[in-house]
Amino acid sequence: MVTRLSFLGVIARVFMWAFLLALAVVVLYPLLWMTLNGFKTNAELFGDPFALPLDWSFGNYVKAWNRGVSDYLTTSVLVTLTSTVATVFISAWAAYGLTRVDIPLNKTLTAVILGGLMLAPTVALVPLVKLFQAMGLYNTFWALLILYTAFRIPFTTFLIRAYMIDLPREVDEAAEMDGAGRWTAFWRIILPMCKPILTSTVLLHILFTWNEYLFAMIFTSGSGVQTLPVGLTSLMSKHGTEYPVVFAGMVIAALPVVLLFFLGQRYIVKGLADGIGK
């Protein structure tokens, strides 16, 4: 009986590893295929799109970089970094107030903030366009910064609040006895204790902002502050017949976030498990 169970366990592990290997191939192969085609000429691409390049030249990547990808990348980096800092800081401060401070209507404020999770961005597009046009923010960097920050605060606050709830109250009492104010306790004690969930929220926000298309397309159309998703669409429309150049631009756009995900995936899982799982 024991031998039979051991044999079934081996079979189960073999199937599990086979499934994971197949899943890895499905996920990684399109990126590899796109990268290889970025080294080809149009003739090689249409001749055999699945063959290796005959001449491994970075010319297409240089062309894509010089034809606007560098500007799109710079804009994406600036928007992503600034909105990430703003979103995580505001959300952490809000979560601190909702969990560590006795304020009136605490539950009501929590419900209002979390109610933002139910607001679909597409529903607010028309009034937001009119509002930003009236404020002179349409087709500017600030439009994306405000939108990405505002629409991610409810979700980010939800995650950080779920983590902060179970932090021991004795920490706040000890900080107060040592003469630390709210700001000092938040900045020097609570935030360091929330490092796992803060890391997760940072990575999740970066992944969202880097790939977001709807807001970037509508609020920066025709401007010089286009992000990578919108910029690559423009690259395709202008140089659609040069497919290797387009593929090279896609690889440049995908590479930073792919590397970030592989480096930070364990932090995402650990932070979410420690936060939502509590």
Side-chain angles (χ1 to χ4, degrees):
M1 183 66 179
V2 175
T3 304
R4 183 180 178 184
L5 290 176
S6 301
F7 177 74
L8 292 177
V10 171
I11 295 297
R13 284 195 294 271
V14 170
F15 274 105
M16 180 188 69
W17 282 107
F19 171 76
L20 293 176
L21 180 61
L23 185 61
V25 171
V26 170
V27 172
L28 295 177
Y29 179 75
L31 182 60
L32 177 62
W33 179 83
M34 188 169 61
T35 303
L36 293 177
N37 283 324
F39 290 99
K40 295 180 179 180
T41 62
N42 261 344
E44 291 177 342
L45 178 61
F46 286 105
D48 190 351
F50 299 101
L52 293 175
L54 298 177
D55 182 18
W56 293 77
S57 173
F58 284 91
N60 292 324
Y61 289 88
V62 175
K63 288 181 181 179
W65 182 265
N66 293 331
R67 292 180 182 180
V69 173
S70 59
D71 295 331
Y72 306 145
L73 181 65
T74 300
T75 301
S76 287
V77 169
L78 290 176
V79 171
T80 300
L81 290 180
T82 53
S83 64
T84 299
V85 172
T87 301
V88 174
F89 177 78
I90 295 174
S91 300
W93 187 240
Y96 177 80
L98 294 173
T99 58
R100 322 299 293 183
V101 182
D102 295 326
I103 56 178
L105 303 176
N106 188 300
K107 294 183 179 180
T108 303
L109 289 175
T110 302
V112 170
I113 294 175
L114 299 184
L117 293 171
M118 297 183 290
L119 178 62
T122 52
V123 176
L125 284 178
V126 174
L128 282 174
V129 169
K130 293 183 177 179
L131 177 63
F132 278 46
Q133 287 176 338
M135 297 174 63
L137 298 177
Y138 190 72
N139 278 339
T140 66
F141 166 86
W142 296 102
L144 294 182
L145 174 60
I146 294 172
L147 290 170
Y148 290 161
T149 302
F151 275 90
R152 293 295 291 182
I153 282 177
F155 177 70
T156 308
T157 302
F158 167 74
L159 293 180
I160 300 176
R161 175 182 174 274
Y163 191 93
M164 282 189 181
I165 284 178
D166 287 340
L167 294 180
R169 285 280 183 174
E170 290 78 7
V171 173
D172 301 81
E173 296 173 359
E176 186 177 355
M177 291 179 62
D178 289 339
R182 292 292 185 187
W183 174 255
T184 302
F186 167 74
W187 188 255
R188 295 189 177 182
I189 300 175
I190 300 300
L191 279 189
M193 295 178 67
C194 294
K195 183 179 178 180
I197 193 63
L198 292 178
T199 303
S200 298
T201 53
V202 166
L203 293 175
L204 288 174
H205 185 86
I206 290 175
L207 292 174
F208 163 79
T209 306
W210 195 266
N211 297 301
E212 200 281 327
Y213 181 78
L214 182 63
F215 282 150
M217 178 189 66
I218 294 176
F219 290 90
T220 61
S221 59
S223 69
V225 290
Q226 293 176 334
T227 58
L228 276 169
V230 180
L232 290 176
T233 304
S234 176
L235 182 68
M236 291 176 64
S237 63
K238 294 178 181 178
H239 309 285
T241 56
E242 296 183 76
Y243 291 102
V245 176
V246 175
F247 284 136
M250 292 179 177
V251 172
I252 295 173
L255 188 59
V257 73
V258 169
L259 292 176
L260 179 65
F261 177 78
F262 278 111
L263 292 175
Q265 58 180 328
R266 69 186 183 94
Y267 296 105
I268 296 178
V269 175
K270 184 179 186 303
L272 294 179
D274 291 343
I276 298 178
K278 286 187 175 182

